[in-house]
Amino acid sequence: MAGPLTREQILTAAENVLRRYGPDKATVVDVARALGVSHASVYRHVSSKAELRAAVTRRWLTRVHAPVAALRDSTEDPPARLRTWLHTLLAVKRHKVLDDPELFAAYQRLTAEWQDALTATLDGLVDDIAAIVRAGVRDGSFRPVEPTGTARAIFTATLAFHHPSHAATWSDPGTEERLDAVCDLILVGLSPDRHRTVGDER
């Protein structure tokens, strides 16, 4: 290959190996073979198969959730921002399942192995929601609530729309409407106006 080998090239090759052959083939030797280099060249960037699999898992999780992370500080008012964030998370997950099912399945196995990477990612998603809740409390769109605990409750309440175990239902007719109905309930619960009814936040 032309030019010096980089860690990014190694992780991209590892992802291609995962897509074609599954997690069992995501070894340093297999990745080196795919790159047309010696395994010693790969070992200069990753010290073991375990480090390689952990690194490629972290990179995938970060990339998958980048679109929602970008929304936490958007200019939308907090109620609309929270709704957009939840719909975007569903869209991103659905896109990954439908457009690259082999890679999605491979990463589901890897994330089960690398709980630290998964936990850090989930904590980051909860932090995003907490930032939106905090903004709503600050500007008065939400009643005074503890942001982190509330964010975890929101994340749990919407599991059907982002947890991989529910992936088979994400393309069902009416999925967006069902998520909207859950968003309505969440926003009514957060509203400082006790007389507001479901659907008024749209």
Side-chain angles (χ1 to χ4, degrees), residues 4-193:
L5 182 64
T6 67
R7 184 179 176 87
E8 192 65 17
Q9 288 172 323
I10 291 169
L11 296 182
T12 298
E15 189 166 280
N16 290 333
V17 169
L18 279 170
R19 182 182 288 108
R20 293 186 63 186
Y21 304 113
D24 294 335
K25 294 288 286 182
T27 68
V28 171
V29 172
D30 291 307
V31 171
R33 186 179 297 119
L35 287 166
V37 301
S38 69
H39 64 275
S41 298
V42 177
Y43 274 123
R44 293 192 186 99
H45 297 270
V46 292
S47 62
S48 64
K49 172 184 173 180
E51 183 186 340
L52 174 66
R53 287 158 76 99
V56 78
T57 300
R58 282 193 297 269
R59 188 179 82 147
W60 184 78
L61 288 168
T62 299
R63 192 170 66 237
V64 165
H65 295 116
V68 289
L71 294 171
R72 62 179 284 166
D73 298 316
S74 81
T75 56
E76 277 191 301
D77 63 85
R81 195 187 320 169
L82 181 58
R83 190 185 296 273
T84 299
W85 190 98
L86 290 166
H87 274 279
T88 302
L89 183 60
L90 168 62
V92 166
K93 293 294 189 75
R94 184 167 53 199
H95 170 74
K96 290 297 178 184
V97 172
L98 295 179
D99 291 2
D100 207 341
E102 295 84 3
L103 190 60
F104 187 83
Y107 274 112
Q108 290 313 115
R109 284 186 57 189
L110 286 182
T111 52
E113 293 177 22
W114 298 101
Q115 284 296 315
D116 287 350
L118 179 59
T119 298
T121 299
L122 296 180
D123 286 346
L125 293 173
V126 170
D127 285 346
D128 286 349
I129 300 175
I132 298 171
V133 172
R134 195 173 292 112
V137 171
R138 187 166 53 244
D139 74 4
S141 357
F142 297 153
R143 63 187 176 83
V145 291
E146 195 282 308
T148 301
T150 302
R152 290 195 183 281
I154 293 169
F155 194 74
T156 301
T158 55
L159 278 176
F161 304 98
H162 54 77
H163 193 282
S165 64
H166 296 275
T169 70
W170 293 342
S171 295
D172 290 351
T175 298
E176 298 280 351
E177 289 76 11
R178 286 193 293 275
L179 177 54
D180 257 332
V182 175
C183 289
D184 287 342
L185 289 171
I186 290 169
L187 292 172
V188 166
L190 289 172
S191 172
D193 181 358

